Amino acid sequence: MCEIIFSRIFLGFPVLLLWMAGGPTHASCPLELNPPRVVVRYGDSVSVTCSTSSTDHEGMGWEATFGGTGFEQEVNVVTWTVDSLTDWTIKPKCYVTLNDSNQPSKVLPVILYKIPDSVSISVLRHSGPMVEGTEYQLQCDIQNMAPLQNLVVKWYKGNEPLYNVTYSNVSKTPVDVSATLMISPSRHDDGAQYRCRAELDLGPEGPQPPIIMTSEPLHFTVFYPPTFSRPEAETLDIGVGEEITLNCMATGKPIPLYSWQSSHVKEAIFSPPSEVPGTYTCTASNQIGKISKTFTVNPKPKGGSTTLWVIIGLGLCLAVVIVIVYAVVKHRAGPNSII
């Protein structure tokens, strides 16, 4: 875009008029900037040339708070140069003064940026392990960066992207930024790592790829109450002389503590007798919660073992009878018998 400033005498008074390129006086702007816009890191050097296609001009120059050239006569190119750019509001303007007193000009778009001093992640108003099902607020602090409108804050759990935060308010000077994320961790988040990332995307004229700064990971420790792999009650049968195991294994964090109680033993026991029928209740507990499970141990029916012994006894008796009959028959048949 080219501004054209020129003066005319109207009814005996000088009048200052302003027209944009494409107006009734000029079909096009006689100025060209190279590059047409710049993205500069705070404190770095910058150099832009301004040339004119006009053949009927007195001279040209740059107007700027830093690096201005003043008016230079009979030149077609002027260069704006700053060794260390630190002015956040600078608007360099190149102009050319034509022979008809018109003065077209172009303002150079300048984006001055600053990489954050630090990017960090924390949990607001909490320290230590988290508790499953409780809400927590994570905060990402980005210190001393600019410009805000080019910032994107990205949240990650491990390598999984969670949420992006963008900013629409325009701010040229450095600011401190805090982005937040609400979470409600589960036991599956125990040991997870959360991170936040600040990305400064300054367009095609800016650094490629975009500037990225990532926080150190925030390691999660999540406490949760005990749970049984098989929560339902169990019924088992036990015979005389047999031994069974009552499995009361539970998962939880911190590691659960176990206690046993029996319906036929008054005091609590810590190692359940495995050969005594009855009802046993196991309780697994930690500082987050507790859970109980009941085992019913029944004696095996006696009829089954009695029948077995009867069968064995009858078998032995039959064997004895066969031996006796064989001996009697053999004796009566004599020594020469083939029996």
Side-chain angles (χ1 to χ4, degrees), residues 5 13 26 31 55 57 76 93 107 133 140 197 200 219 224 233 236 240-241 243 260 287 305 312 317 324:
I5 301 175
F13 296 96
H26 291 267
L31 295 173
T55 57
H57 63 283
N76 294 324
K93 181 172 68 174
V107 175
C140 183
R197 173 181 294 175
L200 201 55
H219 298 266
Y224 51 93
L236 305 94
V240 177
E243 187 173 286
W260 290 86
Q287 64 190 68
S305 57
I312 294 173
C317 291
I324 293 173

Side-chain angles (χ1 to χ4, degrees), residues 321-338:
V321 170
I322 292 174
V323 171
I324 293 173
V325 171
Y326 173 79
V328 171
V329 173
K330 178 68 177 177
H331 177 72
R332 290 180 178 179
N336 296 322
S337 173
I338 62 174

Side-chain angles (χ1 to χ4, degrees), residues 237-257:
D237 293 334
I238 185 171
V240 177
E242 292 182 353
E243 187 173 286
I244 61 173
T245 300
L246 307 183
N247 187 353
C248 185
M249 185 64 66
T251 58
K253 194 165 186 176
I255 297 175
L257 299 176

Side-chain angles (χ1 to χ4, degrees), residues 217-234:
L218 179 65
H219 298 266
F220 271 31
T221 299
V222 181
F223 282 0
Y224 51 93
T227 55
F228 294 121
S229 57
R230 295 178 58 184
E232 65 275 5
E234 295 186 31

Side-chain angles (χ1 to χ4, degrees), residues 122-131 134-138 221:
S122 61
V123 185
L124 288 181
R125 298 177 292 277
H126 179 78
S127 61
M130 299 180 175
V131 177
T134 303
E135 278 200 338
Y136 300 91
Q137 188 175 31
L138 304 185
T221 299

Side-chain angles (χ1 to χ4, degrees), residues 132-295:
E132 183 181 49
T134 303
E135 278 200 338
Y136 300 91
Q137 188 175 31
L138 304 185
Q139 180 166 296
C140 183
D141 292 310
I142 303 162
Q143 301 293 323
N144 199 26
M145 61 74 56
L148 179 60
Q149 60 269 23
N150 294 91
L151 175 68
V152 180
V153 179
K154 297 184 177 182
W155 290 94
Y156 291 86
K157 182 173 75 171
N159 294 321
E160 175 191 358
L162 298 177
Y163 186 65
N164 293 350
V165 182
T166 58
Y167 300 89
S168 58
N169 48 322
V170 177
S171 174
K172 290 187 175 182
T173 57
V175 293
D176 295 336
V177 183
S178 293
T180 58
L181 177 70
M182 296 299 298
I183 62 166
S184 180
S186 71
R187 63 192 61 198
H188 304 295
D189 292 318
D190 184 45
Q193 295 183 357
Y194 279 72
R195 296 174 290 115
C196 66
R197 173 181 294 175
E199 293 189 8
L200 201 55
D201 189 349
L202 298 160
E205 294 86 2
Q208 299 297 328
I211 298 166
I212 295 176
M213 285 188 67
T214 305
S215 69
E216 291 294 325
L218 179 65
H219 298 266
F220 271 31
T221 299
V222 181
F223 282 0
Y224 51 93
T227 55
F228 294 121
S229 57
R230 295 178 58 184
E232 65 275 5
E234 295 186 31
T235 300
L236 305 94
D237 293 334
I238 185 171
V240 177
E242 292 182 353
E243 187 173 286
I244 61 173
T245 300
L246 307 183
N247 187 353
C248 185
M249 185 64 66
T251 58
K253 194 165 186 176
I255 297 175
L257 299 176
Y258 299 91
S259 64
W260 290 86
Q261 287 185 329
S262 173
S263 60
H264 58 286
V265 178
K266 291 182 179 181
E267 66 277 8
I269 55 177
F270 296 92
S271 180
S274 57
E275 299 181 3
V276 182
T279 301
Y280 298 87
T281 300
C282 170
T283 299
S285 61
N286 61 17
Q287 64 190 68
I288 308 303
K290 65 180 180 179
I291 190 172
S292 297
K293 179 178 180 179
T294 300
F295 298 85

